[in-house]
């Protein structure tokens, strides 16, 4: 009789155990949310087909040209322009950027790192905006040092910050690192490209600290998505 009771008890336990184990098993972990892909170069460029000009006239692309061909255009949440790319090698000295590699080298930039030092053009993707003039004042378009920008060339998108200011009559310049990342020759003496670069700078944006390129990319991708959705 004891053997029968024991066998019955074991059978009952065997029947109950799978459901008990199932209820005790941890629930499968939730899958992480899928991050939306950043806009492509084509998607961004599609929003810059028409220009609502806000500059008072147009800019030259280089000192040695007379034609003024580049307008600054307004959009919802951003301003943009289509120009060339000259190479800015100013700021901290490096093997790529110094008095020997760049005839016009200056050891300072308009905007500085969080530690007070000038930016490093060889390492940090940044763009140059024209200094304020009667043509256009970048601050009037809610742009400032450390602002977020998307730079598009040959199907590639680079996210950069506003890092320096340039001549009042010329537009179309970016750091050594920006050019290199876009596949443009970054040499300050013979690099750059004569055309095909679109600069989109997002209003009321700031990357902090300015030297954090990962932060610039993350913020830029988010703002670029909003730009595409709202224009």
């Amino acid at each position: 009789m004891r053997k029968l009771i024991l066998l019955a008890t074991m059978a009952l336990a065997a029947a109950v155990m799978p459901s008990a184990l199932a209820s005790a098993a941890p629930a499968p972990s939730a899958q992480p949310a899928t991050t939306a892909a950043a806009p492509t170069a084509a998607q961004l460029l599609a929003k810059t087909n028409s220009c609502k000009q806000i500059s008072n006239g147009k800019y030259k692309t280089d000192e040695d040209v007379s034609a003024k061909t580049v307008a600054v255009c307004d959009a919802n949440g951003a301003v943009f322009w289509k120009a060339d790319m000259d190479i800015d090698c100013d700021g901290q000295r490096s093997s790529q950027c110094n008095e020997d590699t760049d005839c016009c080298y200056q050891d300072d930039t308009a905007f500085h790192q969080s530690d007070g030092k000038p930016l490093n053009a060889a390492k940090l993707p940044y763009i140059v905006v024209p200094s304020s003039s009667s043509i256009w004042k970048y601050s009037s378009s809610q742009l400032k040092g450390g602002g977020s920008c998307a730079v598009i060339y040959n199907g590639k998108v680079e996210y950069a910050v506003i890092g320096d200011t340039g001549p009042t009559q010329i537009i179309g310049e970016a750091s050594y690192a920006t050019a290199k990342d876009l596949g443009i020759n970054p040499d300050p003496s013979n690099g750059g490209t004569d055309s095909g670069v679109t600069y989109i700078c997002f209003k009321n944006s700031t990357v902090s600290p300015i030297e954090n390129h990962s932060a610039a990319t993350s913020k830029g991708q988010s703002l670029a998505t909003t730009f595409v959705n709202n224009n």
Side-chain angles (χ1 to χ4, degrees):
M1 178 65 75
R2 289 178 60 192
K3 190 177 288 187
L4 290 174
I5 293 173
L6 179 60
L7 289 172
T9 303
M10 290 175 65
L12 180 60
V16 172
M17 188 176 294
S19 60
L21 289 174
S23 63
S29 59
Q31 294 297 315
T34 302
T35 302
T40 64
Q43 289 174 318
L44 288 167
L45 291 177
K47 304 299 181 177
T48 65
N49 285 332
S50 61
C51 176
K52 179 183 176 183
Q53 184 171 330
I54 55 172
S55 55
N56 182 26
K58 297 182 178 181
Y59 287 95
K60 300 191 298 181
T61 56
D62 291 291
E63 185 66 43
D64 58 356
V65 300
S66 57
K68 297 181 179 180
T69 59
V70 181
V72 177
C73 310
D74 193 34
N76 190 0
V79 299
F80 65 88
W81 58 93
K82 300 181 179 184
D84 63 342
M85 183 182 286
D86 298 325
I87 307 302
D88 188 322
C89 232
D90 293 340
Q92 296 184 40
R93 285 182 180 82
S94 61
S95 58
Q96 300 91 343
C97 297
N98 55 65
E99 292 88 346
D100 295 328
T101 62
D102 183 1
C103 66
C104 307
Y105 172 78
Q106 299 180 42
D107 62 359
D108 200 5
T109 50
F111 308 108
H112 291 173
Q113 296 181 164
S114 56
D115 61 4
K117 294 180 180 179
L119 303 182
N120 188 328
K123 292 184 177 181
L124 181 68
Y126 68 75
I127 74 156
V128 181
V129 293
S131 295
S132 296
S133 71
S134 59
I135 300 177
W136 178 55
K137 295 180 179 179
Y138 64 87
S139 60
S140 297
S141 295
Q142 292 80 55
L143 303 185
K144 55 186 173 182
S148 176
C149 302
V151 188
I152 302 120
Y153 176 76
N154 198 25
K156 295 181 179 179
V157 183
E158 174 72 344
Y159 292 98
V161 293
I162 296 174
D164 205 359
T165 57
T168 58
Q169 305 290 318
I170 299 172
I171 202 168
E173 188 175 5
S175 69
Y176 181 106
T178 307
K180 183 179 178 182
D181 287 354
L182 286 170
I184 296 171
N185 179 3
D187 192 310
S189 63
N190 58 28
T193 183
D194 290 334
S195 62
V197 184
T198 299
Y199 303 80
I200 303 173
C201 289
F202 304 109
K203 298 175 182 178
N204 297 308
S205 64
T206 305
V207 174
S208 182
I210 190 174
E211 67 270 19
N212 188 332
H213 182 50
S214 294
T217 300
S218 177
K219 181 177 283 289
Q221 289 175 338
S222 175
L223 292 169
T225 298
T226 301
F227 172 76
V228 168
N229 291 338
N230 291 350
N231 284 281

